[in-house]
Amino acid sequence: MKIKSVFMMAIFSVTANKLRTFLTLLGIVIGVAAVISLMSIGRGTQQAITAQIESLGTDLLFVSPKSGGNLTLADADLIASDPRSNFRVAPQINAPGSITFRGEETSAIVNGVTGAYASVRNLEIDSGNFLSPSHVKNRNEVVVLGSEVAKDIFDERKPINEYVSINGRRFNVIGVLKEKGGGARFGSEDGQIFVPLTTAYYRLTSERTTQGEISISTINVQYVSNGELVDKPVEDPKEHISDILRFSHRTTEDDFSVTNLQDVIDTLNEATAALVVLLGSIAGISLFVGGIGIMNIMLVSVTERTREIGIRKALGAKKRDILGQFITEAVLISVSGGIIGASLGALISYSINRLRLFGPDFETVITADIAILALTVAGVIGLFFGIYPAARAAKLNPIDALRYE
Amino acid sequence: MISLQNVTKTYQIGPSLIKALDNVNLSIEVGEMVAVMGPSGSGKSTLMNIVGCLDVPTAGTYSLKDRKVEELSENELADIRGTNIGFIFQTYNLLPRLTALANVELPLLYDGSKNTKARALEALEKVGIEDRKNHKPSELSGGQQQRVGIARALVKNPSIILADEPTGNLDSKTGVEIMALLQQLNKNSKITVVVVTHEEEIANYNDRVITFRDGSIVSDKPVSDKTVISDQYLSDRIANNEN
């Protein structure tokens, strides 16, 4: 039988009962649309996180204490003064905090940092200045605001030289950062504020080491190669920093960890890839249910058309003709459902971006591979769930089928 | 053409074994027009199924054009049905959603024929119903539906037409038309025709009448006073129908 006639016959058959075909189609449409929109959200999350991290620059390393261990300013200085490398170091302590301006309150992550932090973390100043070494030395109560924080509590007003209250203490606003994007919820600096490290330590928290030194949460280290300046350039900055600290801490077991940005990206990618797969699988379940719907309707159709099958066989149709006819119908339904569902999923994904449903910085990502995957799965589902009904039709005995009322 | 030797067909229905055909010997030559008669349950339908290659004998040999049918595969049987045999049914068995033309075209779709539409139209012309080609079965009278059924049986130029009670659902006037059409095909196109009927009158349009009872042939004799309808009568009737 010619492919064209098989195809025309299938179109004719599935359009004969429009409501039924539409409802069967709907199962696949919803499944495919769910797969595509959820996976586009998952991919969007993945991309947002990666972009955010990469905006820090990939030459960045983080040193943080393990539980039971401590990092001090001395450790930071030790790394900074290493003769074999050209590390730029920005120690950091974190304190939770709330910030108030004329009764307007917002919560923010309070970072105690030094002046080097801005250059190490690629921060740019929008107005005013970043913290200076003298601010740190004098424990000044001054603050630099992330763009989102500034917008939140000052609206259109100019924040510079205004006074805000942080955890009950008055701080002078000396600078506002440029918007960095990436969304505050993904850890962007837009939602953070920066005070001198010493001020944060003495005025806002009270954690100190057993020796009474300042306990550091993270040492940010930027590795700048200086291969031409020294005899033996540092090949593995991560290992080199570890060596410096091991020597200084004199511990048998590392009480600190050094992470580079690639590690962070890899870890998060693993987590978000799992998220994408999870979202896809949940949506895949509805696709599977849609497939069962196709099988169900095909079985009903085979029973209803028993006589038709008998007639076709009497007129010379072979098993494979009948098999092909019913499988084509099932695949036609599932693939049309797949195409409609893919369009619907793309529309949903587009609407999420257009209506900014997940915030201004979130973009869903639709890639061709998601669409191709969803369509292929839809086709395979039609084939898989169509085979059994079609085989039943093909197996019918023509005499019984002709006698069927 | 058709030769059955010691053909037996048994069915298992529940615990009991039913002998639908019991040691039947029969041969039908090319160009014959034969009526098969008998009460229901006499085995005439089983005979038609076997002759039509829809079923194979339990024992014995059925040769169609010197090919032993019981040795053929399912696909080869389908091929024989498609190319050699045209079925006509009491209830017409047209596909309700297809037009007359599409119904007639259907057998051609299964063997990759070319010019299927033109050939289907030609078959409709042969039975004088080409003006109804775009009508669905529900929009046609019983006689018209049966003529579409005959066109469908004809479209592949079969050597045998098997008609199972072709006039059973029709009034006697229309029945005569259908028998006239079959006679014409038998005479002009040399198609072998086998008609199952239980009406004596219909049987008389044939050359020979075979009577079955309880799975066996009880009589097999030529019709001495065959009713022959002239071609003129047929074309007049068809012309009248169209008005």
Side-chain angles (χ1 to χ4, degrees):
Chain A
M1 202 166 174
K2 282 183 210 149
I3 302 217
K4 192 184 150 210
S5 6
V6 175
F7 191 66
M8 296 307 290
M9 214 185 262
I11 288 182
F12 188 79
S13 294
V14 301
T15 51
N17 199 331
K18 290 195 180 61
L19 180 64
R20 182 198 281 181
T21 302
F22 170 73
L23 291 175
T24 313
L25 209 68
L26 208 55
I28 297 293
V29 169
I30 291 172
V32 172
V35 167
I36 293 210
S37 49
L38 284 179
M39 285 187 88
S40 77
I41 292 169
R43 288 272 173 95
T45 310
Q46 208 167 15
Q47 205 179 59
I49 292 172
T50 309
Q52 170 60 26
I53 293 167
E54 278 175 349
S55 73
L56 297 172
T58 44
D59 51 359
L60 206 55
L61 298 105
F62 307 103
V63 186
S64 46
K66 281 185 178 163
S67 67
N70 274 303
L71 287 177
T72 62
L73 283 175
D75 290 324
D77 289 340
L78 206 59
I79 297 167
S81 58
D82 176 62
R84 270 186 58 206
S85 61
N86 189 9
F87 289 127
R88 281 150 72 183
V89 171
Q92 173 181 10
I93 66 178
N94 302 114
S98 68
I99 171 166
T100 315
F101 175 70
R102 290 184 193 160
E104 193 94 42
E105 182 170 334
T106 186
S107 63
I109 295 168
V110 182
N111 295 292
V113 297
T114 60
Y117 189 85
S119 72
V120 170
R121 295 290 292 257
N122 282 338
L123 300 183
E124 284 177 83
I125 284 287
D126 185 55
S127 57
N129 294 296
F130 199 71
L131 305 167
S132 72
S134 80
H135 289 136
V136 177
K137 194 173 155 226
N138 300 327
R139 303 176 193 172
N140 290 135
E141 298 188 331
V142 293
V143 63
V144 175
L145 305 178
S147 64
E148 211 161 292
V149 178
K151 216 184 288 167
D152 261 9
I153 55 174
F154 287 98
D155 290 326
E156 302 298 310
R157 286 166 295 198
K158 286 213 159 75
I160 304 297
N161 280 330
E162 293 286 353
Y163 281 86
V164 294
S165 160
I166 300 168
N167 292 3
R169 301 185 79 95
R170 271 160 59 84
F171 278 74
N172 187 14
V173 178
I174 57 161
V176 175
L177 296 178
K178 265 193 189 153
E179 186 178 330
K180 211 167 173 191
R185 84 186 74 201
F186 299 118
S188 160
E189 280 89 352
D190 294 351
Q192 304 184 6
I193 62 176
F194 302 90
V195 299
L197 185 119
T198 46
T199 316
Y201 179 70
Y202 290 109
R203 307 279 185 256
L204 299 175
T205 76
S206 51
E207 270 186 59
R208 50 190 79 204
T209 67
T210 42
Q211 285 82 36
E213 287 169 285
I214 295 180
S215 173
I216 304 291
S217 335
T218 309
I219 304 172
N220 298 276
V221 183
Q222 190 178 25
Y223 169 65
V224 183
S225 171
N226 61 349
E228 286 120 50
L229 299 177
V230 292
D231 297 339
K232 279 172 71 187
V234 173
E235 270 168 17
D236 184 352
K238 196 170 147 182
E239 200 48 42
H240 189 61
I241 292 171
S242 298
D243 285 341
I244 295 170
L245 292 178
R246 272 177 208 136
F247 184 73
S248 118
H249 285 201
R250 295 173 200 286
T251 49
T252 47
E253 232 172 280
D254 287 357
D255 57 353
F256 59 87
S257 65
V258 183
T259 322
N260 65 25
L261 215 46
Q262 197 53 50
D263 295 342
V264 178
I265 291 174
D266 290 347
T267 312
L268 281 170
N269 265 349
E270 246 168 64
T272 47
L275 174 84
V276 171
V277 170
L278 179 76
L279 289 176
S281 325
I282 291 170
I285 292 172
S286 64
L287 204 52
F288 188 79
V289 173
I292 294 175
I294 290 188
M295 180 144 153
N296 189 18
I297 221 64
M298 290 310 293
L299 284 172
V300 171
S301 175
V302 168
T303 307
E304 279 180 353
R305 287 154 69 190
T306 299
R307 205 182 174 86
E308 172 189 329
I309 295 160
I311 294 168
R312 288 179 185 275
K313 282 198 161 181
L315 298 180
K318 298 186 176 69
K319 254 186 175 177
R320 61 164 183 267
D321 293 320
I322 304 292
L323 192 75
Q325 181 184 351
F326 281 88
I327 287 179
T328 307
E329 285 177 25
V331 172
L332 184 69
I333 291 177
S334 69
V335 169
S336 341
I339 291 169
I340 299 171
S343 320
L344 185 67
L347 188 72
I348 291 171
S349 174
Y350 174 77
S351 308
I352 288 173
N353 293 344
R354 198 62 203 267
L355 304 172
R356 298 264 167 250
L357 283 182
F358 295 148
D361 298 313
F362 187 83
E363 290 271 344
T364 57
V365 178
I366 288 199
T367 46
D369 64 325
I370 298 180
I372 291 168
L373 177 80
L375 280 181
T376 314
V377 168
V380 169
I381 276 182
L383 198 63
F384 179 77
F385 288 102
I387 279 179
Y388 175 68
R392 256 173 71 152
K395 261 205 314 237
L396 282 174
N397 177 340
I399 300 168
D400 297 337
L402 275 171
R403 221 181 276 141
Y404 185 84
E405 292 299 328
Chain B
M1 155 106 352
I2 293 170
S3 159
L4 287 83
Q5 285 167 336
N6 306 321
V7 166
T8 298
K9 180 77 194 178
T10 50
Y11 292 108
Q12 182 87 41
I13 298 176
S16 50
L17 210 59
I18 307 278
K19 232 176 202 176
L21 288 179
D22 189 4
N23 222 14
V24 170
N25 287 289
L26 173 67
S27 75
I28 296 170
E29 299 309 319
V30 177
E32 269 194 288
M33 187 160 173
V34 179
V36 176
M37 292 194 75
S40 44
S42 60
K44 56 188 195 303
S45 291
T46 307
L47 178 81
M48 288 301 254
N49 289 338
I50 287 177
V51 171
C53 297
L54 289 167
D55 210 345
V56 287
T58 315
T61 306
Y62 167 41
S63 309
L64 175 69
K65 286 179 150 180
D66 299 326
R67 291 182 77 183
K68 288 196 171 140
V69 169
E70 56 274 13
E71 290 169 1
L72 300 177
S73 71
E74 221 173 301
N75 276 347
E76 287 169 317
L77 288 178
D79 267 337
I80 290 195
R81 289 198 293 270
T83 48
N84 288 308
I85 297 162
F87 289 96
I88 299 170
F89 304 94
Q90 179 176 3
T91 51
Y92 327 125
N93 276 341
L94 302 175
L95 296 189
R97 288 183 300 101
L98 299 182
T99 61
L101 186 69
N103 263 294
V104 175
E105 195 185 359
L106 200 54
L108 298 173
L109 298 180
Y110 288 114
D111 65 356
S113 302
K114 290 192 178 119
N115 304 322
T116 53
K117 282 234 152 52
R119 283 175 65 184
L121 195 61
E122 203 181 305
L124 282 172
E125 278 164 7
K126 263 191 204 162
V127 300
I129 198 160
E130 69 277 12
D131 56 326
R132 296 281 194 277
K133 64 176 189 219
N134 291 325
H135 288 59
K136 291 192 175 158
S138 58
E139 298 157 355
L140 299 172
S141 71
Q144 288 170 331
Q145 288 188 61
Q146 193 56 296
R147 281 200 268 159
V148 174
I150 295 174
R152 183 179 65 185
L154 278 181
V155 72
K156 285 175 82 170
N157 302 317
S159 38
I160 305 165
I161 283 185
L162 296 178
D164 192 358
E165 305 260 10
T167 61
N169 282 14
L170 302 173
D171 61 65
S172 55
K173 251 186 176 170
T174 319
V176 170
E177 272 170 53
I178 295 302
M179 288 316 293
L181 203 48
L182 291 176
Q183 276 192 350
Q184 192 190 43
L185 291 170
N186 174 247
K187 193 174 68 186
N188 300 348
S189 310
K190 296 281 174 283
I191 298 176
T192 309
V193 177
V194 182
V195 180
V196 168
T197 181
H198 53 255
E199 291 172 71
E200 200 76 43
E201 200 191 324
I202 295 298
N204 281 337
Y205 288 94
N206 297 278
D207 305 322
R208 174 180 163 198
V209 178
I210 302 164
T211 311
F212 274 78
R213 185 178 294 272
D214 299 331
S216 303
I217 297 173
V218 290
S219 83
D220 182 352
K221 52 191 176 196
V223 177
S224 48
D225 53 345
K226 181 183 176 186
T227 319
V228 179
I229 310 151
S230 68
D231 290 358
Q232 189 56 46
Y233 173 83
L234 187 64
S235 41
D236 286 352
R237 284 288 303 166
I238 289 170
N240 281 342
N241 245 11
E242 279 162 11
N243 295 334

